[in-house]
Amino acid sequence: MIYAGHDALWTQWREGLRGARMHHAWLLAGKKGLGKMAFAMAAARELVAVPGVPQLDGQHPDVLVLTALPKDEKEEKKRDAGEPYETKRNIAVEQIRAVQRRLTTRPTLGSRRAVIIDPADDLEKGSANALLKSLEEPPAGTLFLLVAHRPARLLPTIRSRCRVLRFPTLPDEEVDRVLGREAPEADAATRAAAVLAAGGSPGAALAFVSQDLARLDALMRQIVREGDAHFALRGRLAAEIGTRPDRERIAAVLDLARSTLAGMTTDAPRERLPAIVEAHADLVALAGQAPTYNFDPGLLVMQIGGLLASAAGASSHADA
């Protein structure tokens, strides 16, 4: 997938690459679904390329990628078969230490090596502290690219050692163009709802289509408009999400709920804004906790519904 909105970022990266002293750590920050990982992979391959030497297709030995591992052996088999799979909640300290052992050797093909961590905001505490040691004393020729959807979750000491590339959200018309190209099966109504819910993120719009979130979107908007004093709408919301939603679906639901509330701040009556803003802040906090805590999916879904209902006003807040 080709991402728009990266031209200025490539200019910054290449200016840094041509500099006498390339900064050793870069933080790729921005909303999920803006192509940060695709940029990191392309930038890493550009970094390790040796002039006059043909570059390898596929995985490059001098580009090391750390991401969450499969949750268990069953999910590991799915990964090996090229199927979608569930991951562990965090990037473990053992993964960081394994890479650090690799960094004691020379790069395989040239003089440079890149380490990509995606997402860096999923590092557990021990992993973050271990990474900090490498950022404080980076091995010669090694550059770190940290992908972060919520950079505020990173240690301040890690952020302070990185040069930041901020990925902007895209105009709605550009997101719609991406949907037309990547999801031509989506009808006009679904595309319109996806663009509205995505908040400028092509990846979020594509997740909206692939996760079939149109009915969920309509339910969430109804809850925020009308409240849910008798829990009937929350019951429908839970049924629509499913009894055993995987982590990817939960993440998409949380993103949709936040987008729903954020979008309603422009048209809501002034007296309702405090309730909407408070509910949105609570959803942001919940979304930050969900990847790291072992929530019961059913309770989590009801909590999301309760926060949406609370945004309908004081009359609904007590029932949320």
Side-chain angles (χ1 to χ4, degrees):
M1 176 175 165
I2 299 172
Y3 289 85
H6 288 186
D7 290 351
L9 300 169
W10 278 114
T11 298
Q12 292 180 58
W13 166 260
R14 286 169 179 150
E15 285 176 351
L17 198 62
R18 290 192 296 268
R21 296 188 63 184
M22 178 73 167
H23 199 80
H24 70 279
W26 292 65
L27 178 60
L28 280 54
K31 190 172 182 177
K32 190 174 183 180
L34 295 174
K36 299 186 296 298
M37 182 55 177
F39 182 100
M41 289 296 296
R45 292 185 71 90
E46 194 170 279
L47 174 83
V48 302
V50 179
V53 177
Q55 293 302 292
L56 300 175
D57 294 329
Q59 187 174 350
H60 195 290
D62 293 326
V63 176
L64 311 180
V65 179
L66 273 76
T67 191
L69 295 172
K71 183 176 68 173
D72 51 33
E73 289 185 6
K74 179 182 176 182
E75 299 303 314
E76 189 172 343
K77 289 178 181 178
K78 290 182 183 178
R79 180 198 62 182
D80 295 343
E83 301 172 359
Y85 62 94
E86 283 196 65
T87 64
K88 295 181 178 179
R89 296 183 182 277
N90 302 102
I91 296 173
V93 65
E94 291 80 8
Q95 293 175 259
I96 297 291
R97 289 174 177 160
V99 165
Q100 288 171 329
R101 289 192 290 272
R102 288 279 302 274
L103 299 184
T104 61
T105 64
R106 292 177 59 83
T108 303
L109 299 181
S111 61
R112 286 173 164 175
R113 178 158 41 201
V115 178
I116 299 172
I117 303 178
D118 175 36
D121 35 353
D122 275 358
L123 290 166
E124 61 186 27
K125 185 176 180 180
S127 309
N129 287 325
L131 173 64
L132 182 58
K133 294 179 181 178
S134 291
L135 297 182
E136 289 172 338
E137 299 178 8
T142 297
L143 182 138
F144 294 86
L145 291 159
L146 310 186
V147 176
H149 312 312
R150 300 177 297 276
R153 291 183 59 195
L154 288 168
L155 291 176
T157 44
I158 287 180
R159 295 200 304 269
S160 68
R161 284 166 172 77
C162 296
R163 178 170 172 178
V164 180
L165 284 178
R166 298 196 181 278
F167 284 66
T169 54
L170 302 184
D172 286 352
E173 56 270 22
E174 181 59 39
V175 176
D176 187 59
R177 277 195 288 271
V178 172
L179 277 177
R181 183 177 68 239
E182 302 291 334
E185 72 283 1
D187 59 35
T190 299
R191 277 174 56 177
V195 169
L196 184 63
S201 166
L206 289 167
F208 184 102
V209 173
S210 66
Q211 291 280 349
D212 194 18
L213 298 180
R215 289 190 296 273
L216 266 179
D217 181 50
L219 268 173
M220 287 182 179
R221 293 179 186 280
Q222 185 178 358
I223 292 171
V224 176
R225 284 195 311 269
E226 304 172 7
D228 187 27
H230 302 293
F231 290 84
L233 293 176
R234 273 170 276 191
R236 288 170 56 191
L237 187 76
E240 187 64 43
I241 292 171
T243 55
R244 298 183 65 185
D246 60 21
R247 199 166 301 154
E248 184 178 352
R249 186 159 179 80
I250 286 291
V253 168
L254 283 163
D255 284 343
L256 180 60
R258 286 184 294 171
S259 295
T260 298
L261 290 179
M264 289 191 164
T265 57
T266 57
D267 300 323
R270 189 170 182 176
E271 64 271 14
R272 287 190 55 200
L273 287 178
I276 293 174
V277 171
E278 181 181 354
H280 184 270
D282 289 343
L283 271 169
V284 170
L286 185 62
Q289 295 167 355
T292 56
Y293 292 96
N294 189 24
F295 285 104
D296 176 85
L299 292 177
L300 180 61
V301 167
M302 292 305 289
Q303 192 169 357
I304 293 168
L307 289 172
L308 291 170
S310 74
S315 62
S316 303
H317 194 77
D319 296 317

